[in-house]
Amino acid sequence: MRTYNDIVVDLVRATSDPVGIVSDAMSMTMKDFKVGDKNRFAKAIGSVLDMGHTSVFEHVQYSFTILGASRSFLAQVTRHRVGSFTSGSQHYQKYSGYEPVVSNAKFAERTKAFFEEAVFLYDGMLAEGWSREEARQVLPNAMANNLLWSVNARSLINFFSLRLCYRNVLEMRVVAEQMHNLVVGHFPELFAFVGPQCFNGACRQGKMACGRRRWEKGVL
Ligand SMILES: Cc1cc2nc3c(=O)[nH]c(=O)nc-3n(C[C@H](O)[C@H](O)[C@H](O)COP(=O)(O)OP(=O)(O)OC[C@H]3O[C@@H](n4cnc5c(N)ncnc54)[C@H](O)[C@@H]3O)c2cc1C
């Protein structure tokens, strides 16, 4: 069985010159625009973020692979509609090879027998001639999945503001943290200034607030 520590997120494609294309977009708003003039606009990236004029960040595109997160994670992450997803099929392949993924070894030990029983039932139904798309209904949410997610930088700002928040389940935060680290490395001029709501302002979770004063990166 797998745990969240086994989830691997990679940035497999990214716009090659994010500062350049965002500067071009900012330049285009002016009559005397000049494509390729990074010096004039690169320093304004933080201000544009603060002002919420974030459509210029849509020109920066990313594709991530997220390997080994669960089907429950899939249900949550695909609520983010501004982006494109491709996930492991439960229709065209036998799914028992994917293994369940849970938070930690203690949870795995407690639930091992249940997961083995569910997968045994699934395999048995396939052997009896049930279709894969019917038999999959007995598979737990915890079954691991592989995912390709293509998303632009503006949508990612929204994703991080919601999903780096401690109110999220641990699995979501594990993935969101890995993604954040990757894009901070790629486009620090923007993503070093992006975090959950409390990173740049007050928490808006009301009674559901986690009680911490401010988001601390890397503390899951
Ligand atoms: C801690 C937490 C708990 C949650 N709990 C639940 C829950 O219990 N049940 C549940 O169903 N969901 C839950 N959600 C999911 C949440 O409601 C959103 O569906 C999810 O976070 C996607 O956010 P989004 O709509 O901003 O993203 P996207 O779909 O990527 O949309 C981005 C932005 O585009 C705009 N937009 C997109 N589509 C529309 C539209 N149709 N109309 C108008 N504007 C649009 C909005 O401004 C939106 O913010 C939870 C989320 C979090 C972070």
Side-chain angles (χ1 to χ4, degrees):
M1 208 182 299
R2 293 159 167 270
T3 73
Y4 302 158
N5 290 333
D6 299 315
I7 298 172
V8 177
V9 181
D10 273 321
L11 183 56
V12 294
R13 299 274 191 289
T15 297
S16 61
D17 178 12
V19 174
I21 189 70
V22 169
S23 297
D24 287 348
M26 287 194 250
S27 180
M28 199 55 72
T29 65
M30 311 306 285
K31 186 159 189 305
D32 64 339
F33 75 90
K34 191 168 154 204
V35 168
D37 185 5
K38 275 196 209 183
N39 291 335
R40 183 173 168 197
F41 290 98
K43 289 194 194 104
I45 288 174
S47 316
V48 168
L49 176 65
D50 284 345
M51 289 186 284
H53 298 173
T54 45
S55 62
V56 291
F57 301 130
E58 291 173 25
H59 298 286
V60 179
Q61 303 282 336
Y62 293 104
S63 293
F64 298 90
T65 51
I66 302 169
L67 309 182
S70 69
R71 303 294 295 201
S72 352
F73 171 81
L74 176 68
Q76 292 189 306
V77 78
T78 48
R79 298 297 305 280
H80 291 267
R81 292 157 287 183
V82 185
S84 305
F85 296 92
T86 303
S87 91
S89 174
Q90 292 186 325
H91 189 159
Y92 294 109
Q93 65 179 341
K94 185 175 171 180
Y95 209 78
S96 30
Y98 276 75
E99 296 184 67
V101 53
V102 296
S103 50
N104 54 45
K106 191 176 170 196
F107 193 116
E109 187 55 38
R110 174 71 182 82
T111 54
K112 189 169 181 285
F114 165 77
F115 287 122
E116 284 175 355
E117 180 67 21
V119 171
F120 182 75
L121 174 59
Y122 169 83
D123 284 341
M125 288 179 73
L126 294 188
E128 288 167 24
W130 292 83
S131 67
R132 288 176 293 244
E133 61 271 28
E134 280 302 319
R136 70 175 173 177
Q137 300 292 48
V138 304
L139 290 173
N141 275 335
M143 295 303 285
N145 177 42
N146 294 330
L147 192 61
L148 177 67
W149 182 13
S150 296
V151 58
N152 68 51
R154 184 186 194 180
S155 186
L156 271 183
I157 293 167
N158 180 56
F159 172 76
F160 290 135
S161 83
L162 293 165
R163 299 300 189 172
L164 285 170
C165 168
Y166 290 124
R167 293 309 308 173
N168 283 272
V169 298
L170 178 60
E171 186 178 27
M172 178 60 75
R173 285 183 282 131
V174 164
V175 173
E177 274 265 345
Q178 288 194 46
M179 290 174 62
H180 191 248
N181 286 339
L182 288 165
V183 294
V184 167
H186 173 262
F187 189 5
E189 296 83 353
L190 172 65
F191 284 107
F193 303 101
V194 169
Q197 288 164 354
C198 65
F199 181 62
N200 291 320
C203 170
R204 301 209 302 263
Q205 298 302 309
K207 283 186 196 163
M208 304 301 284
C210 67
R212 298 179 206 204
R213 286 181 53 224
R214 194 184 149 102
W215 181 63
E216 287 175 83
K217 193 164 179 337
V219 181
L220 293 170

